[in-house]
Amino acid sequence: MRKIVLVCLLLSCLGETNAQQLLTLDSCRALALRNNKQINISRLKQDVAENVKKSARTKYLPKVDAVAGYQWTSREISILSNSQKYTLGNVGTIGMQQFGPALSEGLTSQITSMVQQGTLSMQQAQQLGALMQQMGSGPIAQTMSQMANTMGKEVANAFRTDTRNMFGGAIMLRQPIYMGGAIIAVNRMADISKEMAVNDLSLKTQSTLYDIDQAYWTVVSLKQKQKLANSYRDLVKKLSDDVQKMIKEGVATRADGLRVDVKVNEADMQITQVENGLALAKMLLCQLCGLPMNEQVTLADENSDSLESSISVATTYIPDSTLSCRPEIRLLQNNVSLSEQATKLVRAEYLPHVALTGGYMISNPNVYDGFQKKFSGVWNVGVLVQVPVWNWFESSYKVKAAKGATQMANMELADAQEKINLQISQCRFKMNEATKRLSTAEKNIRSAEENLRSAQLGFREGVMESTDVMAAQTAWQQAQSQKLDAEVEVKLSQVNLEKALGILN
């Protein structure tokens, strides 16, 4: 039973050991770059910019549209007026009414003349008159009138369009030939937008790496200060034990013991503050890395006795005159280029536009064959030209406004370059100061250690008081803390300089 319990305890210890995740600076950076939401948003912006660029390329190509429709109307389109339809439908009746009496009168006078001349006899004239009377108002006249009316109605019906139910469709093609440079400007703006997305990703990457380095070295610094606080408390406790022994021997007063106890309490409070700060710093680091904030992590440098100050490339790096290595500058340069293309786009709006058009249209009724109830179509090709004539100087005002925006973008770029040059110089000075401060702190460490050793030896020999030892211990703690701060400051000054130069990667 004891063996089983022992095995369970060992397994639990191994589980706790494995739960501690060991992280180096490079692994923290990799986790942050993979999990940072702003970086992932910038990557999505790159995809968006790429699709916008592909969309802009299609503006060079012809566009084809297909449309179809149906329309019902309460009245049809009429080629003939109502009076014309009535005249055609009653053409026989109207003709007989207008020409019948005149024809009968003319024939009667002609027959009378022929009778007087003796060409016709009276009997023949009477028979011919009766026949003419039958043709003018009798069955023959009515039959001829009806036939003419029927023919007129057929002609009127032939002119009907029957357009109450209309079907139509078309396939249209448009090919831009000259748009005033608008298509070229749009494509260049799309290219610039893609470059801006890349530069924005670089900016977010550098900002994330900068935050990670700050958080990482802050955790390392607090961990070292935690060890220092524990060492300082051990020193003070050792002094407290020695003072308590001296009080029992009668060679020290109770006031000396109280002063030392105060220092012990202060040391315990310092440990509590450092532990709280360390926990918060690790939570921030986990959040930046995309890990749960309660994740138990151990940093590779937090248990090192001293932080190695490697020589950074930034100390010898010389940027170009435009500072294009900084993503902020590249973004401002992109903004200038984008403003220039926007000016060209505004100008193109007021230049002549030429486009080639073509297509095929169908309709039912067939308007090309007497409005027959069947589908039929026609091909068409044309050229569309649009020339702005007068717009009350609107184009001039808009172009001037766009040029003003370009000038402002140039001024912002120049201002940023000046400030970044100043920032680089400031970071170089701070790096030199941090290096000198570290060298001074290392010398102070040796002096503080010797001072503490002398004070402890003198206290044991009885030639120094406890206050001298406490002062030496405080000086030793301050020297150690200054050394830690100087080492971390060297690391952070290197990171600041690399970020100022735009080479933090």
Side-chain angles (χ1 to χ4, degrees):
M1 185 66 183
R2 292 179 180 177
K3 291 181 178 180
I4 295 174
V5 173
L6 181 60
V7 170
C8 292
L9 289 174
L10 289 173
L11 290 175
S12 64
C13 291
L14 289 174
E16 291 178 359
T17 303
N18 291 332
Q20 291 283 340
Q21 186 175 357
L22 180 64
L23 296 177
T24 62
L25 179 59
D26 291 336
S27 62
C28 289
R29 286 182 167 190
L31 286 171
L33 294 179
R34 185 171 65 248
N35 299 322
N36 185 271
K37 293 181 176 60
Q38 293 299 321
I39 290 180
N40 291 331
I41 290 173
S42 295
R43 292 193 181 103
L44 292 176
K45 286 182 179 180
Q46 277 189 297
D47 295 337
V48 172
E50 179 64 26
N51 290 323
V52 171
K53 178 181 176 181
K54 292 178 180 179
S55 174
R57 293 291 187 270
T58 62
K59 294 187 179 295
Y60 289 110
L61 304 176
K63 300 294 187 299
V64 179
D65 298 322
V67 295
Y70 165 80
Q71 184 179 21
W72 177 87
T73 56
S74 60
R75 298 176 63 184
E76 67 180 33
I77 298 174
S78 180
I79 298 176
L80 300 176
S81 64
N82 291 331
S83 62
Q84 290 172 336
K85 293 177 184 178
Y86 176 79
T87 302
L88 285 173
N90 298 276
V91 63
T93 303
I94 295 173
M96 287 300 176
Q97 290 176 353
Q98 292 181 355
F99 301 108
L103 180 61
S104 298
E105 183 179 354
L107 289 174
T108 301
S109 62
Q110 186 66 28
I111 292 172
T112 303
S113 175
M114 292 175 66
V115 170
Q116 292 177 355
Q117 292 177 0
T119 304
L120 291 176
S121 63
M122 184 61 67
Q123 184 179 1
Q124 290 175 335
Q126 290 176 354
Q127 293 177 352
L128 186 60
L131 179 61
M132 293 300 300
Q133 184 178 5
Q134 291 180 357
M135 292 179 63
S137 60
I140 297 176
Q142 292 178 358
T143 301
M144 292 179 64
S145 175
Q146 290 176 357
M147 290 177 61
N149 289 341
T150 301
M151 292 177 62
K153 289 180 180 179
E154 290 179 354
V155 172
N157 289 333
F159 278 96
R160 285 193 59 188
T161 59
D162 194 12
T163 53
R164 289 173 297 177
N165 295 283
M166 299 182 64
F167 300 88
I171 297 177
M172 298 175 292
L173 180 144
R174 301 186 307 278
Q175 172 62 57
I177 298 175
Y178 177 71
M179 295 288 115
I183 297 178
I184 296 175
V186 168
N187 277 272
R188 288 179 179 172
M189 291 173 74
D191 294 339
I192 295 169
S193 297
K194 184 179 178 181
E195 292 178 6
M196 293 181 73
V198 173
N199 293 329
D200 181 68
L201 177 60
S202 178
L203 175 62
K204 297 291 178 55
T205 299
Q206 290 197 8
S207 298
T208 301
L209 294 177
Y210 178 78
D211 293 338
I212 281 292
D213 284 16
Q214 293 276 345
Y216 182 89
W217 293 117
T218 300
V219 171
V220 171
S221 173
L222 290 173
K223 184 64 177 180
Q224 295 291 335
K225 287 189 175 182
Q226 183 187 33
K227 293 166 59 178
L228 176 60
N230 288 328
S231 299
Y232 177 71
R233 183 188 60 183
D234 293 340
L235 286 174
V236 177
K237 277 191 173 183
K238 178 65 172 59
L239 178 62
S240 177
D241 293 339
D242 293 341
V243 171
Q244 292 299 327
K245 292 178 182 178
M246 294 175 69
I247 291 174
K248 290 179 181 180
E249 296 294 332
V251 295
T253 64
R254 186 171 178 80
D256 294 332
L258 293 175
R259 281 195 294 267
V260 176
D261 289 340
V262 170
K263 287 293 183 181
V264 173
N265 294 333
E266 290 178 354
D268 289 333
M269 180 57 67
Q270 288 180 3
I271 291 174
T272 302
Q273 291 175 346
V274 171
E275 288 176 347
N276 292 337
L278 179 61
L280 290 174
K282 283 192 174 183
M283 291 174 66
L284 175 61
L285 180 63
C286 290
Q287 190 270 332
L288 292 174
C289 292
L291 300 173
M293 287 194 294
N294 58 353
E295 183 81 12
Q296 298 297 321
V297 296
T298 302
L299 303 187
D301 295 312
E302 67 180 26
N303 294 319
S304 301
D305 294 334
S306 62
L307 303 179
E308 297 181 0
S309 298
S310 58
I311 299 176
S312 175
V313 181
T315 56
T316 57
Y317 183 81
I318 300 176
D320 59 358
S321 58
T322 60
L323 298 173
S324 58
C325 51
R326 283 286 293 263
E328 297 94 333
I329 294 297
R330 294 199 298 271
L331 282 171
L332 289 174
Q333 289 172 343
N334 294 146
N335 193 26
V336 172
S337 301
L338 199 64
S339 180
E340 292 173 350
Q341 296 303 321
T343 303
K344 294 180 181 180
L345 188 62
V346 171
R347 185 182 292 111
E349 184 180 352
Y350 300 96
L351 293 176
H353 294 176
V354 181
L356 178 66
T357 63
Y360 182 77
M361 295 184 297
I362 60 173
S363 65
N364 183 354
N366 181 9
V367 298
Y368 303 102
D369 191 11
F371 291 91
Q372 296 186 43
K373 300 293 289 184
K374 64 180 182 179
F375 283 98
S376 182
V378 62
W379 293 95
N380 63 84
V381 177
V383 177
L384 178 64
V385 180
Q386 178 186 0
V387 181
V389 178
W390 182 253
N391 50 41
W392 299 101
F393 303 105
E394 178 187 9
S395 58
S396 176
Y397 299 145
K398 284 189 174 181
V399 170
K400 288 180 180 179
K403 286 183 177 179
T406 303
Q407 291 177 355
M408 289 188 292
N410 278 311
M411 293 177 69
E412 289 178 357
L413 174 60
D415 183 61
Q417 287 172 336
E418 293 175 358
K419 291 180 178 178
I420 288 176
N421 276 318
L422 181 61
Q423 183 185 22
I424 291 173
S425 300
Q426 184 181 15
C427 289
R428 291 190 188 277
F429 291 147
K430 285 187 175 294
M431 187 171 178
N432 292 332
E433 291 175 4
T435 304
K436 292 180 179 178
R437 189 175 291 111
L438 177 59
S439 177
T440 303
E442 289 173 348
K443 294 177 182 179
N444 292 337
I445 285 287
R446 292 191 290 270
S447 300
E449 288 176 348
E450 179 61 25
N451 183 34
L452 178 61
R453 188 189 66 82
S454 300
Q456 290 174 341
L457 181 60
F459 180 72
R460 286 196 296 268
E461 295 295 333
V463 296
M464 286 189 178
E465 297 182 357
S466 60
T467 55
D468 297 328
V469 179
M470 288 188 292
Q473 289 174 344
T474 303
W476 174 83
Q477 184 195 27
Q478 291 177 351
Q480 292 286 351
S481 179
Q482 289 173 359
K483 177 178 176 292
L484 288 175
D485 292 339
E487 287 176 340
V488 173
E489 188 176 356
V490 169
K491 293 288 186 181
L492 295 181
S493 63
Q494 290 178 354
V495 174
N496 289 334
L497 181 56
E498 289 176 0
K499 186 175 185 296
L501 293 172
I503 58 175
L504 181 61
N505 49 41

